[in-house]
Amino acid sequence: QQQVRQSPQSLTVWEGETAILNCSYEDSTFNYFPWYQQFPGEGPALLISIRSVSDKKEDGRFTIFFNKREKKLSLHITDSQPGDSATYFCAANRVGYKLTFGTGTSLLVDP
Amino acid sequence: DMKVTQMPRYLIKRMGENVLLECGQDMSHETMYWYRQDPGLGLQLIYISYDVDSNSEGDIPKGYRVSRKKREHFSLILDSAKTNQTSVYFCASRKRQDYAEQFFGPGTRLTVL
């Protein structure tokens, strides 16, 4: 059973558009949700994270929106750039426990 | 320089051969991980190490074992490799504190023929 689900599997947007990546989870005890960004040939790297006490976290062009009641969150990338083309993984855990990763969304930003 | 290193980066082995993947980190992180990444499956946790000689199985430990004799070094061993162990393997480390970031290495692409 997939504890963390991501959609869409792949996404293409034009440069300058807003990309929206979705994530949902099963375990209501999860309280920490990092997003990792992975470029081809590299390991994932932490992009931005949110704790369940917040409903929004912003870092430059990247924003996480969190809906605890619906157990959903989304990553919005505004003014998308070709350099944002990567795979994005949503992850979740209860603090002190292992991270569970989603299967990723592959984002392509067309110039 | 905060870094996780992995050796080798690429490896080709024949079925039945033994495989040793090495991981190092220079951040004195207590916790280290081994994951494998396959298309469409994301990152699957193989083993966790909480410190020297303190290792726990992850979600898919079958066919793998690990060794951690020094805090900065974590090895993944495949005894008698199988073709379905062809994958990209990532090592990661993190400080043992709430909300600490996981730092990943660059990965090892293993092909078992």
Side-chain angles (χ1 to χ4, degrees):
Chain A
Q1 184 185 7
Q2 188 68 30
Q3 290 267 12
V4 177
R5 290 191 173 87
Q6 290 187 247
S7 64
Q9 196 170 12
S10 62
L11 176 65
T12 300
V13 299
W14 294 108
E15 183 175 356
E17 289 186 332
T18 297
I20 300 175
L21 289 64
N22 300 304
C23 180
S24 63
Y25 60 97
E26 301 281 336
D27 191 334
S28 58
T29 67
F30 286 163
N31 59 6
Y32 174 60
F33 304 89
W35 285 81
Y36 281 78
Q37 179 187 54
Q38 184 180 29
F39 295 106
E42 298 182 10
L46 180 66
L47 177 66
I48 186 173
S49 63
I50 192 167
R51 304 180 190 182
S52 60
V53 292
S54 302
D55 55 14
K56 181 181 175 182
K57 177 79 173 289
E58 200 168 343
D59 184 357
R61 297 184 294 108
F62 300 90
T63 302
I64 300 174
F65 293 93
F66 177 66
N67 185 323
K68 187 174 183 177
R69 184 179 59 84
E70 294 188 7
K71 293 190 281 187
K72 291 181 178 179
L73 56 160
S74 60
L75 175 67
H76 291 225
I77 307 173
T78 58
D79 188 24
S80 296
Q81 301 297 308
D84 297 330
S85 297
T87 300
Y88 292 81
F89 291 98
C90 173
N93 74 343
R94 178 157 49 117
V95 168
Y97 291 77
K98 67 178 179 70
L99 265 181
T100 297
F101 285 86
T103 54
T105 293
S106 178
L107 174 66
L108 178 64
V109 180
D110 268 335
Chain B
D1 190 21
M2 296 163 61
K3 198 186 244 188
V4 177
T5 57
Q6 291 187 238
M7 292 291 287
R9 294 293 314 277
Y10 301 91
L11 188 60
I12 299 175
K13 287 287 193 178
R14 296 196 179 279
M15 192 169 59
E17 291 185 328
N18 298 331
V19 177
L20 174 64
L21 305 184
E22 311 263 23
C23 175
Q25 50 99 359
D26 60 2
M27 298 168 278
S28 297
H29 286 170
E30 298 91 347
T31 310
M32 296 186 74
Y33 308 81
W34 276 107
Y35 294 90
R36 64 177 282 176
Q37 184 175 40
D38 301 288
L41 294 181
L43 289 155
Q44 299 178 85
L45 180 63
I46 305 172
Y47 266 94
I48 305 173
S49 175
Y50 295 102
D51 212 324
V52 172
D53 284 331
S54 179
N55 307 317
S56 291
E57 294 181 346
D59 298 321
I60 53 162
K62 188 177 179 183
Y64 304 94
R65 61 183 174 94
V66 292
S67 174
R68 190 157 178 215
K69 298 301 181 184
K70 293 182 180 180
R71 178 172 281 187
E72 63 270 20
H73 192 249
F74 191 32
S75 301
L76 181 69
I77 301 124
L78 288 67
D79 294 314
S80 187
K82 300 171 181 53
T83 56
N84 62 8
Q85 293 178 308
T86 292
S87 186
V88 181
Y89 291 86
F90 288 99
C91 174
S93 74
R94 70 185 284 272
K95 192 166 180 57
R96 192 193 302 146
Q97 69 182 38
D98 292 350
Y99 309 110
E101 174 182 352
Q102 278 193 31
F103 290 85
F104 283 82
T108 294
R109 182 174 294 276
L110 171 67
T111 302
V112 182
L113 302 175

